[in-house]
Amino acid sequence: MASSCTINLPLWALIFFALSLNPIEARGPVGRLNGKSPQWTAAGGICASSVHIYGYKCEEHDVVTKDGYILNMQRIPEGRANTSGVSKRQPVLIQHGILVDGMSWLLNPADQNLPLILADQGFDVWMGNTRGTRFSRRHKSLSPNQRAFWDWTWDELVSYDLPAMFDHIHGLTGQKMHYLGHSMGTLIGFASFSEKGLVDKLRSAAMLSPVAYLSHMTTVIGDIAARSFLAEATAIIGVAEFNPKSGLVGTFIKAICLKAGIDCYDLLSVITGKNCCLNASTIDLFLANEPQSTSTKNMIHLSQTVRDKVLRKYNYGSGKSNMKHYGQALPPAYNISAIPHDLPLFFSYGGLDCLADVTDVKYLIDQFKFHDTDKITVQFVKEYAHADFIMGVNAKDVVYNQVATFFKRQS
Ligand SMILES: *[C@@H]1O[C@H](CO)[C@@H](O)[C@H](O)[C@H]1NC(C)=O
Ligand SMILES: *[C@@H]1O[C@H](CO)[C@@H](O)[C@H](O)[C@H]1NC(C)=O
Ligand SMILES: *[C@@H]1O[C@H](CO)[C@@H](O)[C@H](O)[C@H]1NC(C)=O
């Protein structure tokens, strides 16, 4: 059966590129942003621009990873609603996907935003911002202008970023936490929990648009893009930072579009047409705030994941190099089935999601066939695509309330 998807991972970049083609001019000179809400510039940080404005408490936190990155986090310790009946608020860590940051959860009106909804439901809400995104471009000794700053992939998010965030939350609250990931936020969660690193601090996990296997890619553009990325990454390999807003990456993406025979200018309508439930004002705000940079090496790793069908650590390209890094010729695999079988899990995936493709999600869920059956909840949202899970105007009713109920069941 032909897939309805025109695009696929890891080319969020493609999407962003297409989306960013017109809005800059359309939005007018920067001066016109004066008078708009602070959300347009995120000046003063995420709490100031996007949480305080709705009347919620919010704290900015910095955590330092074992390899020296300084990551920014936000904590929304309580809601506006009267939850004085709640004795001890359980922490929830919300982890965004690739090429965006925590801000992407806060662009809708307050009553539609996941972090605020969870706070109102009585949770102690924490938001992560992975290395390289705008408020986490800091390191104890490196600067983002240096190549070494970008020498990482999602393997390092698994080994360093998540543990730093978990330790920080656990240290301050003394409690086990719930985890909520979207897209690459689910990938690093699965990989981490399979290595059992953080499960002693984990109460349950909700995975929206879950991705771990990306190989059932039937679409032309995704396939070409992934292969091009490996074959032609040399063109941009000199650029360690993958910034979709930069000219070099733009040129590369244009070349992919040309090869695939698609008009990148059409992608905006393709994407927004597929996400059933986005608010046009929110999309504008989204484009003003995202995309965020990642490392080129991370994009290559994701392309390898598309190609290889097995979830492995970064492949250095030759048996010899891998031997040097891992002591074996093939990069070590992550074993999803090794996630503790009694970990409560909630999956939600969309029928129109081109990135977390239905076939791949089904394959992923199949890896949990030995999981305790009463610990798994699977929700399928037929009309949802990738971004609906972050910004859908009806996501509160369709997904977020179900997530909150699931978390409360694990108390
Ligand atoms: C909040 O709810 C509690 C009981 O659930 C009640 O005793 C208290 O008066 C409420 N406070 C406000 C400000 O409504
Ligand atoms: C869309 O967003 C705007 C601006 O935040 C808001 O005023 C409007 O109510 C939203 N529409 C829906 C359907 O939620
Ligand atoms: C993965 O983990 C499962 C459960 O612990 C185990 O039965 C299986 O042998 C593992 N697979 C590999 C390839 O190590």
Side-chain angles (χ1 to χ4, degrees):
M1 200 182 78
S3 167
S4 62
C5 294
T6 318
I7 32 167
N8 226 309
L9 201 103
L11 295 317
W12 258 117
L14 274 176
I15 300 163
F16 284 118
F17 173 69
L19 291 174
S20 64
L21 285 175
N22 56 47
I24 310 293
E25 291 78 13
R27 217 176 279 134
V30 175
R32 275 186 50 203
L33 294 179
N34 292 343
K36 294 211 177 194
S37 82
Q39 278 179 296
W40 283 84
T41 56
I46 292 178
C47 279
S49 68
S50 308
V51 183
H52 290 153
I53 56 168
Y54 298 124
Y56 287 75
K57 283 185 192 163
C58 184
E59 305 163 5
E60 298 281 353
H61 289 244
D62 281 343
V63 302
V64 182
T65 66
K66 287 225 166 79
D67 59 347
Y69 289 84
I70 301 164
L71 308 179
N72 181 225
M73 297 186 79
Q74 287 73 38
R75 179 191 200 179
I76 306 168
E78 61 188 53
R80 282 186 314 190
N82 180 6
T83 46
S84 56
V86 179
S87 55
K88 197 150 198 203
R89 286 160 210 282
Q90 293 176 5
V92 178
L93 171 60
I94 299 181
Q95 181 53 57
H96 63 78
I98 189 166
L99 298 179
V100 297
D101 66 356
M103 184 90 168
S104 58
W105 297 105
L106 292 162
L107 302 175
N108 271 333
D111 59 346
Q112 296 174 357
N113 287 340
L114 173 68
L116 306 183
I117 288 167
L118 288 178
D120 278 333
Q121 295 252 3
F123 294 96
D124 175 9
V125 177
W126 292 79
M127 298 170 54
N129 298 280
T130 50
R131 59 182 64 187
T133 57
R134 93 187 108 175
F135 298 114
S136 299
R137 293 168 68 90
R138 290 173 293 157
H139 188 277
K140 282 199 297 194
S141 60
L142 298 169
S143 123
N145 301 326
Q146 291 175 282
R147 283 191 71 82
F149 183 91
W150 301 99
D151 185 16
W152 51 268
T153 80
W154 56 265
D155 286 333
E156 278 70 30
L157 306 185
V158 172
S159 336
Y160 298 112
D161 285 23
L162 279 186
M165 295 191 250
F166 268 68
D167 285 347
H168 185 71
I169 297 171
H170 189 256
L172 278 179
T173 65
Q175 292 201 69
K176 286 186 171 190
M177 68 206 75
H178 303 283
Y179 181 82
L180 184 143
H182 176 256
S183 193
M184 191 182 67
T186 71
L187 172 63
I188 59 178
F190 289 130
S192 174
F193 308 151
S194 76
E195 298 193 319
K196 304 194 172 62
L198 303 172
V199 290
D200 56 331
K201 302 190 183 81
L202 182 66
R203 216 183 271 272
S204 74
M207 304 302 209
L208 314 183
S209 285
V211 297
Y213 301 98
L214 304 164
S215 56
H216 289 88
M217 190 173 281
T218 50
T219 58
V220 182
I221 180 68
D223 196 43
I224 289 184
R227 276 189 281 122
S228 300
F229 213 93
L230 291 172
E232 295 166 24
T234 41
I236 55 165
I237 202 83
V239 187
E241 174 178 0
F242 187 84
N243 179 353
K245 284 174 169 160
S246 83
L248 241 147
V249 172
T251 305
F252 170 70
I253 291 169
K254 261 185 214 153
I256 292 180
C257 293
L258 200 68
K259 225 178 185 173
I262 62 157
D263 182 355
C264 283
Y265 287 87
D266 281 350
L267 279 179
L268 175 57
S269 53
V270 170
I271 297 300
T272 50
K274 288 190 187 313
N275 289 292
C276 65
C277 306
L278 302 190
N279 178 338
S281 315
T282 305
I283 294 177
D284 282 348
L285 208 48
F286 183 73
L287 293 172
N289 279 283
E290 316 291 347
Q292 302 293 316
S293 289
T294 188
S295 70
T296 300
K297 191 176 174 186
N298 190 31
M299 294 301 282
I300 293 172
H301 191 189
L302 285 166
S303 302
Q304 292 172 350
T305 309
V306 172
R307 185 195 55 184
D308 291 347
K309 307 190 191 322
V310 177
L311 198 60
R312 289 187 186 282
K313 298 198 183 207
Y314 182 75
N315 191 331
Y316 283 87
S318 73
K320 203 168 151 224
S321 300
N322 288 331
M323 189 62 87
K324 208 174 93 198
H325 283 93
Y326 304 117
Q328 54 189 74
L330 269 181
Y334 292 100
N335 182 358
I336 298 270
S337 303
I339 291 176
H341 294 174
D342 58 353
L343 175 69
L345 286 167
F346 177 93
F347 292 93
S348 186
Y349 68 109
L352 298 180
D353 194 331
C354 294
L355 304 173
D357 182 272
V358 169
T359 318
D360 284 325
V361 175
K362 284 188 173 150
Y363 181 74
L364 166 65
I365 292 172
D366 200 45
Q367 306 308 302
F368 290 89
K369 56 177 174 279
F370 301 117
H371 213 78
D372 298 353
T373 47
D374 61 336
K375 299 286 185 189
I376 288 207
T377 309
V378 178
Q379 181 191 40
F380 175 64
V381 187
K382 199 165 144 229
E383 69 278 14
Y384 261 29
H386 210 65
D388 290 313
F389 289 95
I390 331 173
M391 296 184 291
V393 294
N394 58 355
K396 178 181 185 178
D397 294 327
V398 175
V399 182
Y400 302 161
N401 283 341
Q402 283 75 353
V403 168
T405 305
F406 164 77
F407 283 158
K408 284 176 188 168
R409 271 212 320 271
Q410 318 310 328
S411 305

